[in-house]
Amino acid sequence: FSSLKSFYANSNKLNGTLPVSLGTLPDFSGASSLQILSLSHNKIKGILLESIGNLSKLKLLDLSSNSLNATVSEYKLSNLYDLQTLDVSDNSFTLNLGLNWTPPFKLQYLKMSSCKLGTNFPQWLQTQNNHSVLDMSNVGISEEIPGWFWNLTKLQYSNLSNNFISGVLPNLSSKLYDLPQFDLSS
């Protein structure tokens, strides 16, 4: 595994818990060169292994559309310096990140729909000024969109639908060009 750079196992109809010899997810701790890990669109059950947080060269992590459950803490993300794409949507993840946490990475694509994010808008997103895709639909947010959100200038697609967002939207006429796709439905 030490020279493995990409591992794709998405859309294979894998289901249940992986064999005991592999654990719930393979232990990638020896894959120190791994840059791409994609296990999306399977039915893998279990928890997110601590070893994924040690993959400091990881650029893309796609675990979407599985049956994974875990509490994702700052610790699990603290060594992912090169991470550019994170997709954990359509799982049972709970994000437990501190209010003052500053991620070590700059994401371009963040998808976490249907995760348990909490009622507050995540403050750490304001440090992520390279976003072009942000999907936080159905995550339980129930407060106003903060003013700094409208300053995420590279955002091309944003989905905040199916939350309980309240408040008044600012005048978006100057932002419509910068936000060509913005979903606040439901």
Side-chain angles (χ1 to χ4, degrees):
F1 268 169
S2 63
S3 62
L4 183 68
K5 291 190 179 183
S6 300
F7 185 84
Y8 293 92
N10 44 313
S11 302
N12 280 305
K13 298 182 183 178
L14 297 172
N15 63 50
T17 303
L18 295 176
V20 175
S21 62
L22 295 176
T24 53
L25 284 177
D27 183 357
F28 290 100
S29 59
S32 57
S33 298
L34 194 63
Q35 295 176 9
I36 297 172
L37 178 57
S38 181
L39 297 169
S40 66
H41 295 90
N42 288 295
K43 295 180 182 177
I44 301 171
K45 295 179 182 176
I47 60 171
L48 185 67
L49 292 179
E50 299 294 329
S51 63
I52 288 178
N54 295 326
L55 301 174
S56 61
K57 294 183 181 177
L58 202 61
K59 293 181 184 210
L60 181 146
L61 177 59
D62 187 352
L63 302 173
S64 63
S65 300
N66 279 294
S67 297
L68 296 167
N69 60 54
T71 297
V72 178
S73 64
E74 298 167 22
Y75 171 75
K76 289 183 181 173
L77 302 174
S78 64
N79 293 320
L80 302 179
Y81 303 106
D82 292 335
L83 196 64
Q84 297 170 6
T85 298
L86 176 61
D87 191 345
V88 292
S89 55
D90 301 320
N91 282 290
S92 294
F93 286 118
T94 300
L95 274 73
N96 186 13
L97 306 170
L99 291 176
N100 297 323
W101 178 61
T102 302
F105 45 75
K106 296 288 185 190
L107 295 174
Q108 293 175 3
Y109 302 95
L110 174 59
K111 295 182 177 183
M112 52 185 171
S113 66
S114 300
C115 290
K116 296 172 187 107
L117 191 59
T119 58
N120 297 324
F121 214 90
Q123 295 293 315
W124 60 270
L125 283 179
Q126 62 189 313
T127 68
Q128 302 297 298
N129 53 12
N130 289 331
H131 272 126
S132 59
V133 173
L134 174 63
D135 186 348
M136 294 192 322
S137 57
N138 193 31
V139 295
I141 296 174
S142 63
E143 68 175 4
E144 291 186 28
I145 298 174
W148 56 258
F149 179 83
W150 306 109
N151 295 325
L152 298 175
T153 56
K154 295 183 179 179
L155 206 54
Q156 295 296 306
Y157 172 80
S158 181
N159 187 348
L160 300 176
S161 66
N162 296 299
N163 282 295
F164 305 97
I165 296 171
S166 60
V168 177
L169 289 176
N171 181 350
L172 297 176
S173 60
S174 64
K175 300 283 185 188
L176 290 179
Y177 180 76
D178 294 333
L179 288 171
Q181 295 183 30
F182 190 66
D183 189 349
L184 276 175
S185 60
S186 299

